[in-house]
Amino acid sequence: MRVNSKLAQIDFQFGKVAREGNLLLIKSDANSTMKSSVYVSPEDVVEFLKRFFVSPSAILFVLGLPWFFYRWRKSGRKQTSAAGRQRKPWPTV
């Protein structure tokens, strides 16, 4: 996953996912150069679902996921190995 912000642009690789109290904790992969932790609250999930189900683009993305996944893998942007995570640059918006 690509994260773009004013502070940094990083490729976030999912690592351990666990529940911590009332929160969902998503840690970055152990081999990641920038260690990160993402805390997701129940309120965040509800807000996401509300926005997801009123967005035709999001719904079409999920329905077309097999096609998009196939095209993504065919484009060569997949990971080469766990040790050497070399990817083509992501397009900027």
Side-chain angles (χ1 to χ4, degrees):
M1 168 180 11
R2 170 65 92 166
V3 178
N4 291 323
S5 75
K6 291 181 181 180
L7 300 176
Q9 291 185 1
I10 61 171
D11 282 326
F12 182 85
Q13 299 297 322
F14 288 95
K16 183 180 174 186
V17 177
R19 187 178 61 86
E20 192 173 283
N22 292 328
L23 301 173
L24 182 66
L25 172 62
I26 306 168
K27 291 195 171 205
S28 60
D29 187 57
N31 297 327
S32 178
T33 56
M34 180 180 260
K35 304 290 184 221
S36 304
S37 297
V38 177
Y39 292 90
V40 182
S41 72
E43 185 178 306
D44 295 331
V45 174
V46 170
E47 185 66 27
F48 168 78
L49 291 173
K50 282 196 281 186
R51 291 176 187 261
F52 177 86
F53 286 113
V54 298
S55 169
S57 297
I59 294 169
L60 287 173
F61 182 80
V62 170
L63 293 175
L65 192 57
W67 171 249
F68 298 136
F69 183 73
Y70 169 76
R71 284 189 357 188
W72 179 261
R73 297 289 288 219
K74 192 175 177 182
S75 73
R77 292 187 177 155
K78 60 184 175 184
Q79 291 177 194
T80 54
S81 69
R85 296 182 190 267
Q86 298 176 356
R87 293 183 171 200
K88 290 183 179 178
W90 288 48
T92 55
V93 182

